[in-house]
Structure formats: C-alpha cells, structure tokens
Amino acid sequence: MGYVAVKKTMSAIPQDIIDQENAKLMAAHQADYDALGVRLARVGIDIEHIVDRLMTLEVGIPSWGMVSGGTRFARFPMPGEPTHILEKIEDCAAVHQVSGLTPRISLHFPWDKANDIDEVRDYAHAHGMGFDAVNSNTFQDQPGQRLSYKYGSLTHSDPATRAQAIEHNLECIEIGDRLCAKGLTVWIGDGSNFAGQNEFADTLDRYLESMKAIYAALPHDWRLFIEHKLYEPAFYATVIQDWGTSILCAQQLGPKAQCLVDLGHHAPSVNIELIVARLAQFGKLGGFHFNDSKYGDDDLDAGSLNPFQLFLIFNELVYAETRARGQFNPAYMMDQSHNVTDPIESLLNSARAIAGAYVKALIVDRKALREYQSSNDVMMAHHCLRMAYETDVRPALAMARLRKGGAIDPMMTFRASGYRAQKARVRKSRPAIGGGII
Amino acid sequence: MGYVAVKKTMSAIPQDIIDQENAKLMAAHQADYDALGVRLARVGIDIEHIVDRLMTLEVGIPSWGMVSGGTRFARFPMPGEPTHILEKIEDCAAVHQVSGLTPRISLHFPWDKANDIDEVRDYAHAHGMGFDAVNSNTFQDQPGQRLSYKYGSLTHSDPATRAQAIEHNLECIEIGDRLCAKGLTVWIGDGSNFAGQNEFADTLDRYLESMKAIYAALPHDWRLFIEHKLYEPAFYATVIQDWGTSILCAQQLGPKAQCLVDLGHHAPSVNIELIVARLAQFGKLGGFHFNDSKYGDDDLDAGSLNPFQLFLIFNELVYAETRARGQFNPAYMMDQSHNVTDPIESLLNSARAIAGAYVKALIVDRKALREYQSSNDVMMAHHCLRMAYETDVRPALAMARLRKGGAIDPMMTFRASGYRAQKARVRKSRPAIGGGII
Amino acid sequence: MGYVAVKKTMSAIPQDIIDQENAKLMAAHQADYDALGVRLARVGIDIEHIVDRLMTLEVGIPSWGMVSGGTRFARFPMPGEPTHILEKIEDCAAVHQVSGLTPRISLHFPWDKANDIDEVRDYAHAHGMGFDAVNSNTFQDQPGQRLSYKYGSLTHSDPATRAQAIEHNLECIEIGDRLCAKGLTVWIGDGSNFAGQNEFADTLDRYLESMKAIYAALPHDWRLFIEHKLYEPAFYATVIQDWGTSILCAQQLGPKAQCLVDLGHHAPSVNIELIVARLAQFGKLGGFHFNDSKYGDDDLDAGSLNPFQLFLIFNELVYAETRARGQFNPAYMMDQSHNVTDPIESLLNSARAIAGAYVKALIVDRKALREYQSSNDVMMAHHCLRMAYETDVRPALAMARLRKGGAIDPMMTFRASGYRAQKARVRKSRPAIGGGII
Amino acid sequence: MGYVAVKKTMSAIPQDIIDQENAKLMAAHQADYDALGVRLARVGIDIEHIVDRLMTLEVGIPSWGMVSGGTRFARFPMPGEPTHILEKIEDCAAVHQVSGLTPRISLHFPWDKANDIDEVRDYAHAHGMGFDAVNSNTFQDQPGQRLSYKYGSLTHSDPATRAQAIEHNLECIEIGDRLCAKGLTVWIGDGSNFAGQNEFADTLDRYLESMKAIYAALPHDWRLFIEHKLYEPAFYATVIQDWGTSILCAQQLGPKAQCLVDLGHHAPSVNIELIVARLAQFGKLGGFHFNDSKYGDDDLDAGSLNPFQLFLIFNELVYAETRARGQFNPAYMMDQSHNVTDPIESLLNSARAIAGAYVKALIVDRKALREYQSSNDVMMAHHCLRMAYETDVRPALAMARLRKGGAIDPMMTFRASGYRAQKARVRKSRPAIGGGII
C-alpha cells in the first residue's frame, strides 16, 4: 500500500559500511544457513521458498517512533534525535536499509505537517521509502486550535467541535493522497473518566455520524482503519473500546472501513490471536500496530516480552491467507514507544522479531496440523506449532536481509556505521519534558 | 417470559410466619419508608411511582443454584439440600415468597430431567412459579452418552458428535415448550487448552452451522440466548469468547438470537456496563446472568463485591429502555455458585442487591444528567449518579416486597421459618465430592 | 502529623458565602440528620459519637493535584489553575475550608521549590493549613541537572547518580523539616523496560544502600514512606513492585520506615484491603495515597469507581486500630490526577467519599460481626458489613463539616463562591502540552 | 532431595523400544548436535559443558497429575489411567525413562494413601524412582472425616478443626519420612468468599499457630514449603494470597520454612521472574510448581503458552545460583492438570520445555550481559538474552536424554511403545464426573 517504485538516490547509511560488516560475518552466516536448510529439508521444507516469501513481507514504521518516547512522568531524550519530518524520514530509511523490511513511513498530523508536502514525498522516495497509512490526531489540542478536545473530538457533544475534528481528518486524507498513501488510521482518545460523564450510546451515535463524513471523503482505493483501545487516555470508558465495537462500526461504515489491531490495546489476558482470527473470518482485519506489553499499553518492542504470542498471531495470519484465497491484505506497522533505547535499534530489534514470527509460521507443517486437529490429537497439534517455533530461523532472516541489500547483523552494522553519533553532532537537541507520544 | 398466571395453591413457607415477622418490623419500616419518601420528594421523585416500577421487576433463578456449589477442588454440601427437581422448585418458591422478585425457574438439562414433565410444570404452578429459559448441557458427558464432548460439542470436528449435541438442544426446546418456557440458553464449554488444538475459524464455522439447526427448531415466540465466556473450562481459547463473537453470531443467526451477559465471563477490568450499552444499541441484548466476581468466573452473590458496578449496569438498562421505546426486553436471571452459604439465603441476598441497583437507577435525575452531559459538566454528571447511588433505598425494596406478600426482612424471615432445618430432616443427603456446578 | 496549630488569618473562600449556602440547606439537613439518628439509634449507635470520630479524620492533599493532570497523550489545562506554590496552597485551603477534612498539604520537590521556605510555611499557616509528608522526585530530569535518571536514580548502576538522588532526598528532608512536615515519601520510577536490562537483585541491593543513607538523615520523629508500584514508568519490572518488596525493605531499614499503599499501584484484581490488613498486622502500614482506578494507575477520584472497596479498606483500618491498641497511626492522603474536572471539585468529591467510607466502617456492628465470624455464619457476617455500607451517611458527613465551619453541600458552595472564575481572571494560564503529573 | 540411589530392576517401558527408536533418529540427531556445537563454540560455549549441567537437572512429578484432570464443570477420563498409587508410580517411571529428567514423585495424602507404605517405596525404587516433597490435603472433606473444612482448616475458627488439620500434616510427615521424602508442601484452600466472612489478621494468626506445630514436627533435614495462591477455591480472599504473605510467614516459622512458587498462582500481569529473584535474594526460595496459564490457575503444560517467561525464570535461577554461592537449592516440580491430553505426554512435553528453558539460561553470555547492564546498554543487554533464547537447543536436550538412557524423541518413543494402549487393556476405568484435581 502506498509504495511507489522510485529510483533510490540517497542512502542514510553508506552501503559500503553494510557490505564491510556483512563480509566479516559471511562465512558463519552461510554455514548456519546451510545447516538450517538441511534441517528444514529433512521435514520437507525448501528454505529458499521460505526466504522468498519472507522477502515479500513489508512492515510500516511510525514517524513518531523515531524520537525517544516517554510517559506522563517523564521523557528522556537522546542526542541525535530527529527534529523534523525530513530527519525522521532519514532515520526510517536507515532502519529499512539494514533491515530490508520497512519500506514505508506512517505519518501523524499535525506532528508531521510540512510546508512543502512534495519535498517530503520526494525526499522519502529518494531514500527508497514510500508512505503508509496517515494518522489523524484529535486527542491533543494544538497551539491556536479553535475548539478543545478536552471532552472529546469526533464524539464531542458540541457539533462544532466534531466538525473541526472531521475537517482535520479530511485534511489528513488530502495530504496523504499527495504522498500516495492509501489509508487513514483513526484513533481517538474520546471516552470518559467518570461514570455518568457520557451516555455510551449517544457518543457512539456521534462517532458513527462523524466517521461517515470521513468515510465519504476517502479516495476509491483507500482504506479507513478503526483502531480500538481499552483505556488511556480515558480511564473509565472509551468509545471504541474493543474489537467488538470496532467491527460493528466498520460494518456500519462500509467495505473500506476495517479494523486495526494494536497489540497493546486489549484487556489483560485476552487472547489476541483469537481476535485476529475473528476479524479475518468476518472480513474486517485491516492491519496491525505491532508492539509488546506486559501491563497495559506499554508500547514496548514487538516480540520482546511474549515472542510466542507474536508467532501465534502470524500463525493465524498465514492460515487466514490460505482461507481467504487472495482477499487478505492486512497492513503491518510497528507502533512502539522507545523510552530507554535508540529508536532505530528498537525498530531493528522489532523488525527481526516480526520477521522471525512470520518465518516460524511459514514453516508450520499445516497438512500435519490439520490432520492432528481433525483427529483431536491435541498434543501433536500443539507439538506441530512448537517444533516450528523452536526452530532457530535467524539464518533465514539474515539471508532475506542480505538479498535485499541489508545487513546480516543489523544491530552491529548500525552501530558500526556511527550513524547516531554523527546525527548528534548535526541535529538540534530536544527538550526533556513533554510528550506527543503514542 | 414463560410465566403462566395460575392459582397458587401451595406455599413453601407458611404465610403466617411471614406476616408475623412483618408485623414486628412494620412500625420501623413505615417510619423509614416515610422518611425516604420525604427525601425523594425533595428532589422531585414520587416514591410510590418507584415502588410501582420495582414491583414489575422479575428475575429468574437457576435450579442448579439451589444446591451447594463447589470448585474443582471440593464441594461441601449442607444438610437439607434439594435432591431432585421438585425439591428445587420448592426452594425456588421459598425464595420468591419472601423476596417477591423471582417468579421463574431456569432449568438445566439433563440435570433437571424428569419422567413426568407435566408434574414438574404443575408443581411449579401450584407454587406460583413459572419457567425461565431452559439450558442445554453439552459440556459434560452423561452416563451412557454415546459420543464424548471431551474435544467439543456443537463445534466438534466429528459431525456425529455435533449432531448429538444439536439433538440434545432440540430436546431441551421440546421440554421447555411443554413447560411454557420461552427461551433456550446455549452455553458451551468448547474451545482449546493448547495453541494449535483447533483452527479458530473452523470451529466457529461449525458452531454457526450447528446453531442454525437449533435456531430453526425454535418456536415462533422463543429467543435463543448466546452466552459467551472468556475461559474455563477451556483455558487457551473459547469459541464464543466475548461479546464481539457473540453478537456477530447472533447477527448471522437471526432476530430471535440474542446475546446473554454473564457478569463473570469477561476479561479483567473490562467495562461491563459499556458492553451492556453496546449490545442494547445494536439490538442484541438478550439478558443477564447476574453474579459477582473478583478474579475470574467466581459466581459469587450478585452485588456482593462491586455493588456500584451493578448499579451502573442498571443505569444503562434504564437508559436503554428509554432509547428503545418499548423494544427492549432483556431477561434477568441469577447464576451463582453458593459454596459457603445457604443457597436460598444467597439468592435472597442477591435479589435485594439487584432490586436495590434497579431502584437507584430509577431515581437518577435523568433530565439533569443529560444537561450536565451536554455541557460537559463532568463532575455534576457523575455527582448525579452518585447521589442516586448513595441513597438508602432499602425501605422502598421492603415496601415492594411487602405489597407482593413478601417479607420486610427476607433473611430473618427465612431463618425464622425454620425451612432449612425442616428440610434437613426430610431430605436425603448428597455426596461431598463432585460437581455439575456452573 | 506535621500540623502546627496556628491562628488562621486568611480565607480562600469568604466564610459568609459558606454560611449563606448552609442557611439555605439547614432545615433539610437537620431533618435528614435526625432521621439518620433515629435509624442508627435503633441499632444501638449514637450518631453524635460517630460525628465526633469523623471530626478527627484528617486527609492530606497533594500540591501537584491542584493543577489539571494529564496523560502521555495530552494535558488539557483549565482557566484559573495555580501557577506556583502559594496559589496551590490557596486552593488547598479552599478545599479544606468547605470540606473540613484536609488540613495538610503534601509538597513535591523540586516542583514546589520556593526561594523563601518560611514564606511558604507562613502563608499555609495563615490559611489554617499545615504540611504532610514531603515527596522527592527522581523520576524526571530537571533543567540543569548534572546526571540523568533515564536509567535509574537510587538504584542507578553509577554511584554518582545514586549520590545525586540521595542528595536530593536529603534536601527534601531539610525543607520538610523547616515546614514542620514529619515524613518523607519516596517513590522512584526505577526499573526496566526490557528483560535483561537490570539484574533484579543488584538493583534492590543498591536501593537498600541508598535508602539507608536517606534513613540515616531522618529527624527522630519522622517516618520514611516506601511507595511501591507495579509498573509505569517502567514497563517490564519495577524495583519496588509490590507490598512484598516494600515491607521487606522497610524491615531492613528500621522502625521509621513504613509502607505506603497507593490504591492504584497494584496488579489487576488484587485484594487491596487484604494487603492493608497484612501491612497492619506486621506493623508496617505507614499510610495511603487514595484514588480509584479501573485499569491501571488511573488516578481517578477516590471512591468514584469502587466505593465498596474503599469501605472495605476503612473497615480494615477500623479493625486494625482496635487490634493495635494505640500503636496505629497511618497517614492518609489523596493522590489523584484530575484530567477532566476542576481539581478542587474532585478533591471535594473524594473527601466526601473517604469520609463516607470511614463513617460506614464506624457503624459496622463489630460485636455481632465477630460472633458471626466465630460461628461461621458467613451470610450474616457479610450482611453485617452490607447493612452498614448501604446506610446513607451523608447527613453525618454534612454535620461534621458544618461543625468544623465547612459546607453542608461542598460542591454547590464552592461553585456559589465563584472562586475559580475569580482566579481565572487573576492567574496566568499554563501550557496545554506537557506533564509532571503523578 | 529425597532420592535414594537404588538398583533399578523394573522398567515401565522396555528399554529396547527406546533404543530402537533412538537408532532411527541417531544420524540426524548427531548432525544437529554437531551443528549446534559449532554454533555455540563460535560464541565461546562448550556444548559438552552445557549437556553436563543439564544432566544434573531434576524435576519432580505429581502423582495426581497422572490421571486426567478436569474443571468444576467436568472431567473427561481416558482409557488406561492409573487407578491406584502403584500404577501412578509406574506411569511416573515411564515419564522418567524417556525424559531422563523426573526421578522423583510427589505424593498427595490421603489420595495416595496405601496400606503398605514400604511396598510403595520399594516399588518406586525398583523403577528407579524416589520421592519428592509430600503434600497434605485439607481443602477437601474425606469420607468419614470428623470435622469439615468447609470454613477452613489450619485457620478454622474452631480449635478442634485446626487440630485435626495439623494432625493430618503430621501424619504426612510421618509417611513422607518412611518414603525418604525430605519436604512437606502445605497448600490450603482457606480463605473467604464474602467480605466480612473472616478477619484477615485473625485467620493469619491462627495459620501461624498451626504451622508452628507442624514445623516443630519436621525431621531435621526436611523443608516446609509454603504455597501461596491468589484465589480459588476462595474467591474473595485467601489466607496465603501472595509471595508477600508467604515470605513473612516463612520468616516467622524459621529456616526450614521456605516459599514455593506455583507459576499459576499470581495476579494477572505480575512479573513472576521478579518474585523469584526477590525470594532468592531474601533466602526463602524453596521451589517451584511449574505449569503455564493464560487466565487464572489454568494448570496447563509448563512452557506451552509463554515459553519466554519460563526462560526468564530460569535466567533468574542461574543468576541466583551464582550469587548464592552454593546455598541455593530450590526444589523443582511440575504441577499440571491434564484435561485433554495424555498425562504422560503432557509431562514429557513440559519436561522438554523446562529443560530447554534451563539450557537457554545456561548459554546466556553473563559476562557480556553484566557489562551491558553496567553501562546501561539496554538494547544489547536484552539482545544478550534474546540471542540465547532464540537458539534451538533441542539437540542438547536430546543428547542429555540419550546419555541418561532416555529417548531422542520422547513423544514418538512413548507412542511407539504402545504403553497407554496396553494399560487400557489391563487397568480399570474411572468415572467421568468428579474431582480431586489440583
């Protein structure tokens, strides 16, 4: 989605650095790759086929994830953070260059607003990058904004405030269209902190009315992603609190409206892979915001806390693809808050985890699995997944990266490039306190 | 639903005992009632109107809740428990007699199977009791059962097992019809304990296919209640895991299919009153299984742990009734497990909590609330609910019971009647170990 | 604790406004009070005794709670917010004036740092206010700060950073001492976002070492409150994650070290009143940060979401007081984030909820309760609590406020005073974006 | 603990079957092992050293886990389940034979009571099995039991009931002593379902008094394991609800008293590896009940839902061992409920997961990790763990099993042996309904 094949003319990281690092690791990499190939061949899997499929995987990255995140308590910036959209694009390009997995940037407005949209687009294209779904922001007040979103935006009791929020979304579509993006993600902070603050049904009525106006403005090949969230910033109730409300709204809006699953936006202990399967089954799985969490919407690195869950999600995706016969096209994106790590490194870390989960899902023996399931051989059905999961697929990931011009070892290569230190010398510093973090 | 006006000819508890107990408390009761009336009149509410509305509230009680419940670890029976369906009916009648709130019994098959269904019906009617929705049971294997539900029932991979489970539901409808019940509640334990055990989409396909067969057999004035549950007995995934799957299935099945909300079947910290509002808004709120819980599906007495939540649920129900303009008719039932209390006493305790929550919801100043909401006066909107909630409505409850022939103080009256001790002398004892408990 | 009897010479709200509002409500108030008195007398309770005890209840309020709170996503300020410590004191005094319950302010450094500490103290005293425990802040970096707390403070791997954090705490003690405060509350954000980031045992060793240095600097009549928190800002593990670690550390430090229970800092579904009882039993219950929450550390108004839980906590406190025979002196404080309400109104709302919970706990029939417990009459033991809880104690609260010179209806009286509108005219406005919110 | 070296004279599974299966897999196994060895050598690890350490790992298995488990809703037995203690021992021996990891059985009384204790011991020894900690059961009533545990056991309000429960524990010690077991695990179901049912402090006082009597009867080389549990069967509060209460009680009792961590007995989202570290740091980590869970105390196969968490727990254990310098000796045991799988297969599955987690923890580069931690290189510290975790260590596990006489592929070997089918022919069948399941 949103990717325009263009001639890449600029490199965030000099390619020769990547090549040099790869050269050091090549022999060991090839040996490991061969050993994995032998092992997979033994169970009837062609490693080349797996690498080919992996090379088609694309995951978007968020512009807002390129700066240090924070919490309501504090934000601790690091030297060399990007300070405007062009610098963010450059950092995104660096991630893609070594990972080979993240060719699109997701923008957030008005944070990423620029005077010259064409310059933004061209600068991205020159780095070999396209644009993912654009994101509207009606959960904050901006300097000079006429009406406040303190008590809601698309669901506000005042029609004028709703109109303002709708208008902002329409503008996002317009900008996105010029960037060749193909989707709009709408996440709102609307909800309540007190019982009685709103009538639940009335706010949802207003939500649907507002969203219909936005839906009507979508270009024909766009999708509208509805993102639900159990809580935060609203702490008693949110308007789009779970996948149930999300899918009912998507049904009301029409075929372009789909549900977006952020892995951190669910109640404790909920089975997320099951929700993924349900959305796929009912034709409304629009895409993902990948991250990981232990307590709430922690926005930690995807796969860093429960990698098995990430695998199970991809297991559902691979299965849904089979069932859907070509109708299945979820948009993948990372949405993380990097509070104590270099954002580029965290995105590399997460890209690896996502690719790993995908490859492990690809090597599940689905024919055997299906037979075990049919005969209720529970242990062997589970074993089937576990054997795929326990396989060390790092050599396959490295090979896919390598073939795309990326790094065998992305983290070490990025560090070897001295990229961040160089940026710390040339970029302005940002203040420690404050937010704007999703 | 399901209630047939009949001449009551039998009393579980002698009416004169109730009258005697009431006589002792009458003076204080009248004084408290008058004081409450004055207080409510001051805010423009006619206490008589409230009592009239309360007198229309009816809550079903579960036959299986009349015996001591238990856990997988143990069951500790008490002397005088009912040992067959007629004794359960008698106990239910005792609850209704003193509470005036529970005129219908919900049966569970095959647990409540009887050779002579007419006798069951007549015995209930003679006690002034009717029948609520009937419940099928395909989460256990029964002695002599041909095919096991170990790996599923309505969703089993084997068509023969599904057919058996469908057949059981059809039989439940048939029995229910003879009892003048008007609904079937389907809760299944189907799901999985291991990732990989089932394909989520396939099991749901089979569920829908099975349910369509059951739906087709419903009498024209019946409803089919779909009951979701996050987990237990399946511990990795359940087929109908939440209200989202529930409502999507209800949509597929048709207008008679509605969603049933058991208060204990949700993920931790989920906002249940919001789910209630959503189901009402989308026209699929079928009814409730009231209980309370702190950790999981604890099945404790309704209102015993979070009475404010119960109030907020009734607050939604009162509001939904207004919005729906007559189309709104959820079925109320208690579904509790009484592990350490006398089941009759726990049901009296819960009936009081439910009636209290309803009355408090009725005395919310909705006109003021709406204005506060419109103007985003969050504090006063919340205050509006709190002022209703903090009102001591016990005198109104007592008056409604009294006017229906019940007890001013149900608990003390029940104890004064010596009912349980008398039953302990005449009923057989039940074994300590074992289950069959929802 | 920390309260110095002084002559009050300044009033945040003109007393005659309070008196006028009270006059309007007096007749109805007296009637309600009398009716409650009759009702309580019937169960052997003297309402005057209850009001007397309530009048001894004191709850601290946080200086940082006087401005609009926010989340990592946004902060929406309101007109008339205080902009420095003296204005905060004035607002606190307004809360105390109408509620009669909150005579002490808890300061947070460096947020509340002032050039002239004596002026701060005198200004508070002139308003009839004293000081509660002071709070250190090592979870943020301040402009000009030498070493960053990004990777920890009291537990940082670098001894110099730890020394800086210790030094800050010593300064807090020094300032607090000049304010006649008698306690220091230490809450740190230290922890980790990634598995492997720290060794758990090593960080706790360093915590204890740092805390010993702070403990050693405590004046003889001070207490050191250890505040635990499950998560946020650290999202994988926190150093003082629960009451278990808290009490073990308090044991290591010595008798002045006690545990502070913030109601929002626990895992989902944990029984907080049980934790309160455990800390009391082992002699380490230092105090509370009252608030309410549904999902995480939501910091909503105390008693606004689960008032029954608040009652159960006070039920434990009343019982612990009996058991402890005079040795029991927990410090009560509110710690809330007021994101969508006027902070003063939210604190009035919470003060009412806290006082109500306390009164309801006082009117529990403890003699009867004990007998029911001894004989395992579970239902009646529970009933005992419920009957107290369901009592409408608002008239008793109003009487206690009235007798302390406060308002029968604090919320309406505060609004009638026009306090906030007047402040909006004279105070500077604050920026919408940013934090510093607990 | 509790293991007596004896001459094994009986085999549950004929050794030649194991050898035949191994022979088929030997070539591939050796190739994989060699490849892993090369890979580990590249990062400075000697695979032989790892296998040697793994071969010292011993995990106990529960006698009660050898039969199909169930829930309060149902139990679905399978053909060939053991029907008495000798058959359970035989099944345990089968697990140990192919896994080489589970040389000890944990007995549960009175479930495992036998007329001839010596016969039990000798039969186990003949199978090469010893005994782990014995378990008392005061959470159920047994036929003929004088006083009921419905309202508590060691904490019951009635001293006679407490005495009976103490007496049962003393008998367990006596039997355990004859079996050469070296520990007693005490888990009680005591607690409450209703607020007010108990005074928390009083019940804990009684618990400590009862436990002191049991502690006094421990042989000198025994340990007393205190097992906490957040909830179930008590649903409002339990007496030993978390590790905090557990360790405080262990402190009160003395050095032989230690805390046992069951992985499923915690609140949602709690960081269990952190609790493990805390207990180790304060010298009270007694041991584990391994299992896995998603929602509550699901008792699923260890490592089946969150294998990364299991790895992180072993990571703490390996580190604690280093810190403790020889003083560290936790007892490992599995405690699972096998509801839909063959218990033997589930235990093999879990044994593999546990051994895998241990080996992955062993290959963490601790020197590098420590340096990254010291310099707050968060990403690389995390990476360090991840690189170990992502390694496919199955060849090392297979080698350890092989060298102990076990199976390269335990699951397939067990199936090839026809063990269960053979038992189904000779053992009696068990009823479907009922419990006694932990």
Side-chain angles (χ1 to χ4, degrees), chain A residues 151 156-158 193-205 208 230-231 236-245 247-249 251-252 267-271 273-275 277-278 281-282 308 312 315-316 319 323 366 369-370 372-376 378-379 381-383 385, chain B residues 151 156-158 193-205 208 230-231 236-245 247-249 251-252 267-271 273-275 277-278 281-282 308 312 315-316 319 323 366 369-370 372-376 378-379 381-383 385:
Chain A
Y151 304 110
H156 199 285
S157 58
D158 171 26
N193 273 9
F194 287 85
Q197 181 175 343
N198 296 319
E199 292 295 355
F200 298 140
D202 299 353
T203 47
L204 193 65
D205 280 347
L208 285 168
L230 184 69
Y231 74 100
Y236 167 62
T238 59
V239 178
I240 310 296
Q241 91 276 16
D242 64 9
W243 78 275
T245 297
I247 195 170
L248 290 167
C249 289
Q251 287 178 344
Q252 300 269 318
S269 81
V270 153
N271 186 323
E273 57 269 26
L274 175 55
I275 289 173
R278 291 286 178 262
Q281 180 163 18
F282 288 93
F308 189 56
L312 292 176
N315 183 51
E316 291 306 317
Y319 181 65
R323 259 178 79 99
R366 279 182 202 279
L369 178 60
R370 174 141 291 241
Y372 293 132
Q373 289 170 340
S374 298
S375 58
N376 291 304
V378 178
M379 179 51 70
H382 178 65
H383 200 66
L385 294 189
Chain B
Y151 304 111
H156 199 286
S157 58
D158 171 25
N193 274 8
F194 287 84
Q197 180 174 345
N198 297 318
E199 293 296 355
F200 297 140
D202 298 353
T203 46
L204 194 64
D205 280 347
L208 284 168
L230 185 69
Y231 73 100
Y236 167 63
T238 58
V239 178
I240 309 296
Q241 91 275 20
D242 63 8
W243 78 275
T245 297
I247 195 170
L248 290 167
C249 290
Q251 287 177 343
Q252 301 268 319
S269 82
V270 154
N271 186 324
E273 57 269 26
L274 176 55
I275 290 173
R278 290 287 178 263
Q281 181 163 17
F282 288 93
F308 190 56
L312 292 175
N315 183 51
E316 290 307 317
Y319 181 65
R323 259 177 80 98
R366 282 185 197 277
L369 177 61
R370 174 142 291 241
Y372 292 132
Q373 289 171 340
S374 298
S375 58
N376 291 305
V378 177
M379 180 49 72
H382 178 64
H383 201 66
L385 294 189

Side-chain angles (χ1 to χ4, degrees), chain D residues 215-238:
Chain D
Y215 188 92
L218 290 174
H220 78 283
D221 56 349
W222 273 49
R223 285 189 281 178
L224 178 59
F225 299 111
I226 301 174
E227 184 173 356
H228 70 266
K229 190 169 199 277
L230 184 68
Y231 74 100
E232 194 207 24
F235 290 120
Y236 166 64
T238 57

Side-chain angles (χ1 to χ4, degrees), chain C residues 281-298:
Chain C
Q281 180 162 18
F282 288 92
K284 284 294 189 188
L285 181 64
F288 286 87
H289 276 185
F290 289 119
N291 53 55
D292 210 338
S293 58
K294 188 166 182 65
Y295 304 100
D297 183 29
D298 307 347

Side-chain angles (χ1 to χ4, degrees), chain A residues 151-163:
Chain A
Y151 304 110
S153 60
L154 293 177
T155 76
H156 199 285
S157 58
D158 171 26
T161 310
R162 297 201 296 276

Side-chain angles (χ1 to χ4, degrees), chain C residues 121 134 172-182 219 221-222:
Chain C
R121 189 194 53 219
V134 294
C172 289
I173 294 172
E174 199 185 308
I175 301 173
D177 201 34
R178 288 181 55 192
L179 294 169
C180 308
K182 296 294 175 201
D221 57 351
W222 274 49

Side-chain angles (χ1 to χ4, degrees), chain D residues 108-127:
Chain D
H108 213 298
F109 300 105
W111 294 339
D112 291 328
K113 226 164 171 177
N115 289 328
D116 186 343
I117 299 175
D118 292 343
E119 181 193 18
V120 169
R121 188 193 55 221
D122 293 347
Y123 191 75
H125 287 181
H127 281 84

